[in-house]
Amino acid sequence: MLTGCIYEDLPPCPPQVLNVEFIWGDEPPASAEGMNVIFYPLDADGQRWIFNIPSPYGGRVELPVGSYQAVAYNAGTRHIDFCDTGGFSTIRATTLYDGAEPADSVTPTVPSPDMLYSASLSRMTVTGCGVEYIMPDGTEVSCGNNTVRMWPQRRTPRYNVILEDVDKLSHVRSISADISGLSAGCLLYSGERRGPSVTTALALNVNDSTSASGSFLNFGYLPSVEQDIELIFTLVKNKKVRYTGKVSDIIRNSPTPFDVDIIIRGIQVPDQGTADDDNVGADVDVEGWKVEIIDINVDPFHPR
């Protein structure tokens, strides 16, 4: 009276449309031109799925049924290279464009990166009935309407170099700074800083007769090395004065690690044309300062 059959070769489930939502919290989504999302299949034979979502708030993607890990980061960056993109735990952002590790004796000077945000999901399963995933705090979520939420986190702090109470600032043509001991990049899934140690340069603008300032983005300090600053004052009388000192404590003890103020007070600029070491100094609140005066080569046939 009853009949039935067994299907041994069922057709695969069709791809599922997922709604990906980005939850920014206190972060400003307006700074992102959209989001790139990479889904890494946990099946070793699977292929990566890469999507560009034009809105920073989210959009729709289509994925086959299966289990994945996911990384998202803001689109539109122009001064960041993304390396080792083949794996969830290896993909990283850097400003070392060739991806080569420099020699131990060389500290490369790299450009300032763009503002970077990234988010990740350590495990996500797409089924024919919905989607399941693990939130960053370890909570398991099951969503029948195929909605996946991700929480972007800022990865590039801003360092503000502020000079106060500068003596004879009117004798200065320009000011630049280098900060060494910074990270070359970070892992996208965790934000972990990665070496090697690099240096980033910036220009400072004169604000008034006694102060100057400048700021730049970076991947944060590298914990394994010290952070030094070098200030170079180019004087109107073809001299340069170089001030160097350590800023590790200022950076590492900042109450706002993603908006660090490096305040240096009391630098004394020499009189115009003076090359006597006794006439310059740096009575500043940063330890270990050294001062060096350099003659600028004004020969037009030689670089300055």
Side-chain angles (χ1 to χ4, degrees):
M1 297 291 292
L2 299 176
T3 60
C5 60
I6 298 174
Y7 289 96
E8 294 184 352
D9 297 315
L10 293 174
C13 293
Q16 301 297 303
V17 176
L18 306 182
N19 299 306
V20 180
E21 295 182 357
F22 299 109
I23 310 301
W24 289 88
D26 296 332
E27 299 293 349
S31 63
E33 298 179 8
M35 298 293 287
N36 295 320
V37 189
I38 305 177
F39 294 93
Y40 294 94
L42 291 174
D43 179 356
D45 297 327
Q47 64 176 348
R48 289 179 297 161
W49 295 83
I50 304 173
F51 300 91
N52 175 261
I53 298 177
S55 169
Y57 297 101
R60 292 188 175 185
V61 302
E62 190 173 280
L63 280 179
V65 168
S67 295
Y68 301 86
Q69 294 174 311
V71 167
Y73 57 95
N74 55 299
T77 57
R78 296 168 180 81
H79 301 289
I80 295 178
D81 194 22
F82 296 94
C83 304
D84 301 327
T85 59
F88 170 80
S89 61
T90 61
I91 182 172
R92 59 189 174 92
T94 182
T95 48
L96 288 175
Y97 289 102
D98 59 5
E101 294 290 328
D104 292 340
S105 60
V106 177
T107 300
T109 298
V110 301
S112 175
D114 306 280
M115 184 68 77
L116 178 67
Y117 302 92
S118 70
S120 66
L121 294 175
S122 60
R123 186 178 183 89
M124 182 190 78
T125 301
V126 180
T127 71
C129 302
V131 61
E132 300 172 353
Y133 60 96
I134 299 176
M135 294 173 55
D137 63 1
T139 303
E140 295 185 8
V141 176
S142 179
C143 188
N145 64 358
N146 284 5
T147 296
V148 177
R149 294 180 174 87
M150 303 183 75
W151 289 260
Q153 302 293 316
R154 183 173 170 180
R155 303 305 187 194
T156 46
R158 184 182 300 277
Y159 287 4
N160 310 299
V161 179
I162 303 168
L163 308 184
E164 297 180 348
D165 302 326
V166 181
D167 184 39
K168 299 184 181 67
L169 191 53
S170 60
H171 297 177
V172 174
R173 183 191 304 166
S174 64
I175 310 171
S176 62
D178 295 339
I179 297 183
S180 62
L182 303 178
S183 303
C186 71
L187 294 174
L188 289 190
Y189 85 95
S190 65
E192 177 187 340
R193 298 164 186 158
R194 300 302 297 267
S197 172
V198 298
T199 297
T200 298
L202 69 150
L204 277 68
N205 297 315
V206 174
N207 301 325
D208 52 41
S209 61
T210 62
S211 67
S213 62
S215 64
F216 69 103
L217 295 173
N218 63 95
F219 286 108
Y221 69 88
L222 195 62
S224 59
V225 299
E226 295 290 317
Q227 286 68 53
D228 296 328
I229 190 169
E230 179 181 78
L231 296 169
I232 299 178
F233 289 71
T234 301
L235 308 184
V236 296
K237 291 295 186 178
N238 296 321
K239 300 283 184 182
K240 284 187 178 181
V241 186
R242 178 186 289 129
Y243 302 84
T244 57
K246 294 189 177 300
V247 290
S248 300
D249 288 344
I250 294 176
I251 292 173
R252 299 180 188 214
N253 296 325
S254 173
T256 53
F258 281 90
D259 193 17
V260 177
D261 289 336
I262 301 173
I263 301 175
I264 301 167
R265 298 182 178 91
I267 287 180
Q268 300 171 18
V269 177
D271 292 331
Q272 297 186 36
T274 298
D276 297 329
D277 288 348
D278 292 341
N279 292 328
V280 298
D283 184 18
V284 299
D285 48 7
V286 177
E287 63 176 329
W289 279 89
K290 297 180 180 179
V291 182
E292 179 184 2
I293 295 182
I294 309 163
D295 285 321
I296 298 176
N297 190 339
V298 295
D299 185 340
F301 298 102
H302 293 80
R304 293 185 177 182

